[in-house]
Amino acid sequence: MNQQETTTKISVDKEYRKYDYSKNFDKTLTEEEEDPTNCSSKLLKHQSQLESRLLTRKDLINLDETEPRWRYIRIGLLIGFGIIFFGLLAACIVYIIFGQKCPSVPKLPFWKSTVGYWLDVFAFKDSSGDLVGDLNGLTSEVDYIKTVVGAGYVILGPITKGFYTNSYNMLGLVEDYKQVDEAVGTMDDFRVLLKQFHKKDIKVILTFDFNAISISHKWIIQNKVKLMMFDDDFKNKKSRYGNRLDVNISHQKYYSVFEYPSIDLDLTSSETQKAIFDVIHFWMKEGIDGILLDNAAFFVEEEEEEGTQSNLSSTWLENCPNSQLYRNGSVKFVEGVREEMNKWIKDSGKEKLLAVNSGDTGCGVGDNPDPMLMFRDVADLIISREFVWGRGEKERELTFNQTALQKYLTYTDSDKEILGLTTSTVHIPPYGDTLQLATTLLLPGLPVIYYGTEIDVNRVTSQYLPESIYPKGKSYNDEPFDKYSSVLSHMPMPWDFNGMRFSATINDSRFRDYLNYYNNKKVVESELAEGNDKSVLRLVQKLVALRQNPSIKWGTMEQINIDQESVSYAEAFARKAKGFPTFIVVLIKYFKEDYFLDLTSVCSSITPRVIYPSHPQLSVDNALSTSKIFIPKLIYFSYILVFECN
């Protein structure tokens, strides 16, 4: 086969004009291709190349000259595609501007997007066998906090040296802020805890009381801080428990609002502030996610304003709030702490929580606004006493003109956003009110579950102090032991009836005796048992999960008027967020007769999301065609109902 036979020619002959393509495809066979056996396959290969070849620019120019209509077609197609493209672009712009927008989702810090869990490490779980809780015991229960309770951060009560282990047989002293109390473990134990909690995406907050320190604190020995001197300005003041305010050290009198053996720090002093800020930096460097400042109402007790001394008396609680509390100097000190925290936020790029708690003032908030709101501009979270026993009042029997919910509605939206809602604190014992507990988890605000309240424990009015298990007969700040004592907030966690989950070394009746004395019929073990349809812990799980809905997580709140005649107490409110379903919360107590609930003012049909206790005619998550509900009179003490508008 010669070269001419293996050359392919393609000619285009239109209107007497001829264009020859052959020169583009001339190809001479190699010696290998001259093999007769390969000839056929090579020809097929060349044909395939020709068939798949694209037109060159020169081809297109020639085609335009010979066939003008193709040029017009191409131009028309380009114009058509352009019209379609710009039409779609214009439609998108119009839709973006005037169309229905997706609801905005705010970026919230962890203390606003999750629920907190507040606990006393010494009372939570013992791993060493000394019947006092410790860091390793707490670490072993990280899954309970994360998966059972559903908390996103924990607030650990004070754990620094001296809180439990001291020579004064009391709780609450501080001898060194940079060491953990030997009863809870070591710094290495704390680092393990921090690592495990962070692995579970749980933030860790530490509690510090910078108001006063033990007379055995190393700062006093090393003369590193300035103490509050006792002088004539304090002659009309009283200690928290009505005794002498002065503490003598080396023939010098110092001021102590919680009495001997503690001494108040002068928090206006730059040298004292420097020492405290050094402590904050120490723990931030360890990796904690924030701090809670306890006893903030006492921080700076300035001179009395003219005319206020007449309000003072020999008994602290006769004239609440005592004029020694809530001074502007306390806000200024916390402002300094805020500035130090902001440095860490800037350097680390991580969120850091600054929370404040009033401390053991003994004086409740009553019908008045919470004076702790004086810290609103410097703190991220303020522990509220609106839903604790007696609204924080420890001894006086008060009557209130408003329910706790009605009063809470009087706060501004911005104040609600920083109030830590809880039913117990380290100074105010839990009192077993499921209705109030549910309210704190469903209102606008920052829910904080105090350990034990998730299973409805009640410590108020009980005057029994365990001697063989924590707190082993010790009181808090040497407070006189009575039915409202702070130490009642520090009882062992009731994991089970025999106490072995609290401490594996318990093999007798001591833990059961402790539970029986407090009439404690509920423990974590029984609350999680199958078939327990009245489990408060199961209710808490549902409410914590429900709080992730945008309307409850960050939405607004509106009170709903419902029938009050058939029950002793009934309140309802709606939680709304634009673009998301509305939720209705109904709280009922003491049925007098059958109850008719009409929610048509909010929506025409609903789906029950939480029914506690269970209702014979209502099923959770089954949509209803109406928003009118009949509730027969039952023996249950109260009802908690949460509905979602369809």
Side-chain angles (χ1 to χ4, degrees):
M1 182 179 295
N2 58 36
Q3 180 176 351
Q4 186 175 5
E5 291 175 334
T6 59
T7 302
T8 304
K9 293 182 177 290
I10 299 177
S11 300
V12 178
D13 189 0
K14 293 288 184 178
E15 298 181 1
Y16 308 106
R17 301 182 65 178
K18 186 174 182 180
Y19 182 76
D20 188 1
Y21 292 82
S22 61
K23 58 185 177 182
N24 294 323
F25 305 105
D26 287 344
K27 184 170 180 67
T28 304
L29 293 174
T30 62
E31 292 181 0
E32 182 183 359
E33 290 173 328
E34 290 177 356
D35 185 352
T37 61
N38 291 334
C39 183
S40 176
S41 63
K42 296 301 180 181
L43 282 173
L44 291 173
K45 180 178 178 181
H46 286 304
Q47 290 175 356
S48 176
Q49 290 175 342
L50 291 172
E51 290 171 358
S52 63
R53 190 186 68 81
L54 298 175
L55 294 176
T56 66
R57 181 174 179 274
K58 191 173 181 180
D59 297 340
L60 292 173
I61 293 173
N62 185 68
L63 191 61
D64 276 352
E65 293 176 354
T66 58
E67 293 288 345
R69 61 176 180 166
W70 293 112
R71 179 172 55 189
Y72 300 142
I73 291 173
R74 289 204 314 277
I75 294 173
L77 288 173
L78 287 173
I79 294 173
F81 282 124
I83 292 172
I84 293 172
F85 172 77
F86 287 107
L88 290 173
L89 180 62
C92 289
I93 293 172
V94 170
Y95 181 79
I96 291 171
I97 296 174
F98 300 104
Q100 184 177 2
K101 297 178 177 61
C102 294
S104 59
V105 178
K107 186 179 185 304
L108 301 174
F110 67 82
W111 57 89
K112 290 187 176 182
S113 60
T114 60
V115 171
Y117 191 68
W118 195 359
L119 60 92
D120 177 2
V121 179
F122 297 89
F124 204 64
K125 185 170 183 176
D126 167 39
S127 69
S128 64
D130 63 356
L131 302 177
V132 176
D134 49 50
L135 294 166
N136 289 335
L138 173 57
T139 302
S140 70
E141 294 293 349
V142 63
D143 286 331
Y144 170 79
I145 295 171
K146 181 66 177 180
T147 62
V148 178
V149 177
Y153 66 99
V154 291
I155 301 176
L156 307 186
I159 60 171
T160 51
K161 183 178 179 180
F163 179 86
Y164 177 81
T165 308
N166 58 68
S167 58
Y168 300 100
N169 197 40
M170 60 184 287
L171 305 177
L173 292 176
V174 181
E175 296 178 353
D176 190 341
Y177 286 111
K178 290 186 179 181
Q179 294 187 49
V180 297
D181 193 292
E182 62 187 63
V184 294
T186 65
M187 280 300 298
D188 285 338
D189 294 334
F190 177 78
R191 293 179 183 117
V192 170
L193 179 146
L194 200 61
K195 182 178 180 180
Q196 292 302 315
F197 273 63
H198 283 171
K199 187 181 293 185
K200 295 287 186 177
D201 197 26
I202 301 176
K203 309 295 184 182
V204 178
I205 314 301
L206 287 189
T207 299
F208 295 96
D209 176 7
F210 291 125
N211 178 69
I213 57 176
S214 167
I215 61 172
S216 302
H217 197 289
K218 71 174 188 177
W219 283 351
I220 297 177
I221 299 170
Q222 298 171 357
N223 197 28
K224 290 190 67 173
V225 294
K226 185 177 179 181
L227 305 175
M228 284 287 290
M229 304 294 292
F230 185 89
D231 55 35
D232 289 341
D233 291 333
F234 304 141
K235 63 184 178 181
N236 290 320
K237 291 186 178 182
K238 296 295 177 183
S239 74
R240 166 63 182 86
Y241 305 121
N243 298 318
R244 293 175 60 88
L245 280 165
D246 57 308
V247 174
N248 289 292
I249 300 179
S250 301
H251 308 293
Q252 176 64 56
K253 287 186 177 182
Y254 295 96
Y255 175 85
S256 175
V257 75
F258 286 107
E259 308 165 16
Y260 180 89
S262 67
I263 302 178
D264 280 32
L265 291 169
D266 182 355
L267 298 181
T268 65
S269 162
S270 59
E271 57 185 311
T272 303
Q273 292 178 5
K274 182 180 178 181
I276 289 172
F277 296 162
D278 182 56
V279 169
I280 294 172
H281 284 283
F282 172 83
W283 287 100
M284 287 293 170
K285 193 177 294 184
E286 288 291 337
I288 65 170
D289 302 290
I291 61 175
L292 183 147
L293 299 176
D294 196 20
N295 280 321
F298 298 89
F299 278 165
V300 177
E301 299 176 41
E302 300 162 322
E303 292 185 15
E304 306 295 342
E305 297 175 1
E306 186 177 351
T308 60
Q309 291 189 5
S310 60
N311 293 330
L312 298 171
S313 65
S314 59
T315 303
W316 179 275
L317 297 175
E318 282 184 12
N319 292 291
C320 283
N322 190 289
S323 58
Q324 291 162 241
L325 304 174
Y326 310 114
R327 314 301 288 178
N328 291 330
S330 298
V331 178
K332 191 171 182 180
F333 168 72
V334 177
E335 185 178 7
V337 175
R338 168 88 277 167
E339 292 173 359
E340 294 301 310
M341 296 276 289
N342 287 342
K343 293 177 184 177
W344 276 95
I345 295 171
K346 182 179 179 180
D347 292 342
S348 67
K350 297 179 180 179
E351 300 166 341
K352 301 291 182 182
L353 170 65
L354 175 56
V356 291
N357 183 39
S358 64
D360 186 20
T361 66
C363 305
V365 293
D367 286 320
N368 301 312
D370 193 337
M372 283 297 290
L373 285 169
M374 67 190 297
F375 295 101
R376 60 165 63 87
D377 295 328
V378 293
D380 301 308
L381 185 153
I382 299 171
I383 297 296
S384 170
R385 291 165 290 171
E386 297 295 351
F387 299 96
V388 302
W389 174 262
R391 298 187 194 171
E393 193 71 33
K394 281 215 165 181
E395 290 186 9
R396 300 178 303 173
E397 296 295 333
L398 301 179
T399 57
F400 306 115
N401 297 321
Q402 300 171 299
T403 66
L405 180 57
Q406 288 171 340
K407 186 191 171 187
Y408 190 73
L409 286 167
T410 65
Y411 287 115
T412 65
D413 290 342
S414 58
D415 284 345
K416 291 172 188 170
E417 290 178 358
I418 60 173
L419 287 175
L421 306 182
T422 184
T423 57
S424 179
T425 75
V426 291
H427 304 291
I428 305 170
Y431 62 109
D433 191 324
T434 308
L435 217 60
Q436 295 288 60
L437 175 64
T439 303
T440 62
L441 292 169
L442 295 168
L443 284 172
L446 312 175
V448 179
I449 300 171
Y450 194 79
Y451 84 101
T453 61
E454 75 269 27
I455 59 171
D456 212 29
V457 298
N458 185 353
R459 301 276 186 256
V460 172
T461 73
S462 298
Q463 298 184 47
Y464 167 73
L465 202 54
E467 295 286 343
S468 60
I469 56 176
Y470 181 80
K472 295 189 174 181
K474 296 184 178 183
S475 63
Y476 202 99
N477 276 336
D478 209 23
E479 176 186 13
F481 185 57
D482 59 29
K483 60 184 179 181
Y484 303 116
S485 293
S486 299
V487 72
L488 295 173
S489 296
H490 300 266
M491 295 291 110
M493 179 70 174
W495 295 104
D496 50 25
F497 289 111
N498 59 26
M500 292 193 66
R501 187 168 170 182
F502 172 73
S503 179
T505 59
I506 295 178
N507 56 9
D508 52 27
S509 66
R510 72 182 76 183
F511 200 86
R512 187 177 291 274
D513 293 342
Y514 144 69
L515 294 178
N516 288 338
Y517 193 92
Y518 283 102
N519 196 28
N520 210 135
K521 304 300 183 184
K522 298 176 182 178
V523 295
V524 172
E525 184 179 52
S526 64
E527 286 289 287
L528 292 177
E530 290 296 327
N532 185 356
D533 61 349
K534 299 183 185 66
S535 168
V536 176
L537 183 52
R538 297 285 190 199
L539 170 66
V540 169
Q541 289 177 319
K542 293 176 183 178
L543 296 180
V544 170
L546 199 64
R547 193 170 178 84
Q548 291 306 306
N549 287 279
S551 294
I552 301 177
K553 196 172 187 178
W554 70 75
T556 59
M557 171 187 173
E558 295 178 8
Q559 191 170 21
I560 303 171
N561 293 322
I562 57 175
D563 174 36
Q564 303 281 340
E565 298 297 326
S566 305
V567 292
S568 296
Y569 168 88
E571 290 189 296
F573 57 89
R575 298 298 311 275
K576 299 179 178 180
K578 187 176 180 180
F580 296 97
T582 295
F583 284 82
I584 303 172
V585 178
V586 181
L587 309 168
I588 303 174
K589 188 185 293 185
Y590 296 128
F591 285 81
K592 299 176 183 177
E593 55 190 49
D594 294 343
Y595 189 76
F596 177 68
L597 180 62
D598 186 354
L599 301 174
T600 53
S601 62
V602 183
C603 50
S604 58
S605 63
I606 54 178
T607 299
R609 295 304 182 195
V610 174
I611 305 293
Y612 181 87
S614 58
H615 185 288
Q617 278 81 43
L618 291 179
S619 298
V620 173
D621 298 333
N622 284 345
L624 306 177
S625 59
T626 180
S627 58
K628 297 179 180 180
I629 308 294
F630 175 77
I631 304 176
K633 181 181 178 182
L634 300 172
I635 61 173
Y636 300 133
F637 175 75
S638 58
Y639 248 116
I640 299 164
L641 311 170
V642 183
F643 303 102
E644 180 180 351
C645 289
N646 296 333

